Amino acid sequence: VATSTVSASGLGLSPAVTTASGEGFVVGGIYEFQPYTLTMSPAATLVITYTDKAAAGIDESKIGMFRWNPEGYNWQPMAAISDIAHNTFTATITQLGTFALGYDCTPPHVSILAPADGSTTVNTLPLISALVLDTGVGIDPATVEMRLDGQVVAADYVTGTGQLLYLVGDPLEDDAHTVTVSAADVMGNADS
């Protein structure tokens, strides 16, 4: 959980930053089968293997099979049968797409960009911004939450960039205010 304490103040948005698309968690390669809209009946069997070198240094029991979700900008876990002894995962698919084996035990990184921690501003209707990134499976958008003085606010989360934005609607009182941002990735790793 990222927290920033500020006095009622003005904010500026930092330069655009793009979020990782999960490439940090892939074990082996990424496999793309097109056209994405093709539905298969009967279903097909997808088998993905990996090398011992690709899995070096990780707990192989925590590797899973994933499908890329372009709308959520994250990897979604799939039901698959693993054979760790033979470095193989097998799943049944009915639609083409992008698939990978992955390993992610690392929580997302959350940073509040504006207002800066401890800063003061004269703007009583500031724009609050944060960056929520994950180098693993990707952020679960449903878990992204911003709080202002302990109350959940309707911040906008941009999945493609990781930006979280909230324009304060009611003027803030001339006092200290606290902003808290939390998020988890698709595997449930939280930023605590």
Side-chain angles (χ1 to χ4, degrees), residues 28 58 66 134 153-154 165 188:
I58 63 174
F66 297 84
D134 187 63
V153 295
L165 305 169

Side-chain angles (χ1 to χ4, degrees), residues 111-139:
S111 57
I112 297 174
L113 303 174
D117 192 19
S119 66
T120 301
T121 184
V122 295
N123 185 353
T124 61
L125 297 172
L127 174 65
I128 301 171
S129 66
L131 195 57
V132 181
L133 301 173
D134 187 63
T135 57
V137 295
I139 301 296

Side-chain angles (χ1 to χ4, degrees), residues 153-178:
V153 295
D156 292 318
Y157 177 62
V158 183
T159 58
T161 64
Q163 290 180 310
L164 181 63
L165 305 169
Y166 176 67
L167 182 59
V168 174
D170 294 324
L172 295 176
E173 294 180 17
D174 186 15
D175 199 356
H177 299 277
T178 302

